[in-house]
Amino acid sequence: GAGVSQTPSNKVTEKGKYVELRCDPISGHTALYWYRQSLGQGPEFLIYFQGTGAADDSGLPNDRFFAVRPEGSVSTLKIQRTERGDSAVYLCASSLKSRETNTGELFFGEGSRLTVL
Amino acid sequence: SQQGEEDPQALSIQEGENATMNCSYKTSINNLQWYRQNSGRGLVHLILIRSNEREKHSGRLRVTLDTSKKSSSLLITASRAADTASYFCATPPSSGNTGKLIFGQGTTLQVKP
């Protein structure tokens, strides 16, 4: 597809379970971002990949959260031992990093809504 | 922590009126971006303004940047019902950073037909 694709669009799970959220970025975009958004709030930065490596993971709230991008394209956000407070919309974005501005325009997916019961 | 703060948090206007949203940020930046989000959807990039620019236009959008006051404004002229959405400003956390963007809390705009 032409845009950023996120699956699943909705995920309901029970407290304590393991969850994986997938992001398929725009082809050729080297930078990939994960954000978390709670109702009525702005997106909260989680992690940013440049290629296969995590350039900045300072937003991951704790060690239950982990993200990978093994081939520099698709990324998976993994949440272990989910808690009710993890309920949110998880947004993925990709971009062509601009040398001039160091931050290019971000193209967002529609998000994965996670509900932890 | 949030870098940008939008003001007002919510804005309700009639179709045809202009809407102005403001964003203040804390540290030096090399660019500032504005995004729009329709309810239940992902964010869409509207405009990027660089630190050496003071004003930029795109269709009915006008963005200003005042680096001395660390603030930006987004003006939507001749608003339409379809402009109803949340609007966010986003900045790098500091100049010369790794490339991440920090978003504000957003302004929710309602345009009444």
Side-chain angles (χ1 to χ4, degrees), chain A residues 39-106:
Chain A
L39 190 63
Q41 303 293 313
E44 174 193 12
F45 173 80
L46 296 178
I47 186 170
Y48 153 59
F49 287 90
Q50 185 62 29
T52 60
D56 188 330
D57 64 357
S58 61
L60 294 177
N62 51 60
D63 61 6
R64 294 187 298 104
F65 288 74
F66 190 69
V68 296
R69 196 187 184 199
E71 297 178 358
S73 178
V74 171
S75 176
T76 304
L77 178 66
K78 308 180 181 192
I79 310 174
Q80 298 178 322
R81 305 183 304 280
T82 53
E83 300 177 355
R84 292 194 180 88
D86 299 335
S87 296
V89 175
Y90 289 81
L91 296 167
C92 177
S94 68
S95 80
L96 278 170
K97 186 177 173 183
S98 160
R99 279 198 207 107
E100 181 184 7
T101 67
N102 206 36
T103 308
E105 170 186 350
L106 266 58

Side-chain angles (χ1 to χ4, degrees), chain B residues 11-19 76 79 109-113:
Chain B
L11 182 60
S12 181
I13 59 174
Q14 293 294 134
E15 209 165 25
E17 294 180 339
N18 295 341
I76 304 174
S79 64
L109 173 66
Q110 181 186 29
V111 181
K112 300 175 184 176

Side-chain angles (χ1 to χ4, degrees), chain A residues 33 35 37 40-45 48 55-56 58 91 97-98 100-110 113, chain B residues 2 30-31 33 35 37 40-45 48 50 88 92-93 96-106:
Chain A
Y33 302 77
Y35 287 84
Q37 187 176 29
Q41 303 293 313
E44 174 193 12
F45 173 80
Y48 153 59
D56 188 330
S58 61
L91 296 167
K97 186 177 173 183
S98 160
E100 181 184 7
T101 67
N102 206 36
T103 308
E105 170 186 350
L106 266 58
F107 293 82
F108 280 84
E110 299 285 22
R113 180 176 297 278
Chain B
Q2 298 294 340
N30 56 21
N31 73 85
Q33 302 182 36
Y35 287 79
Q37 185 178 35
R41 308 296 297 274
L43 283 78
V44 176
H45 180 265
L48 180 153
R50 294 180 173 79
F88 298 91
N97 70 304
T98 62
K100 78 182 184 187
L101 277 184
I102 304 297
F103 286 82
Q105 300 286 4

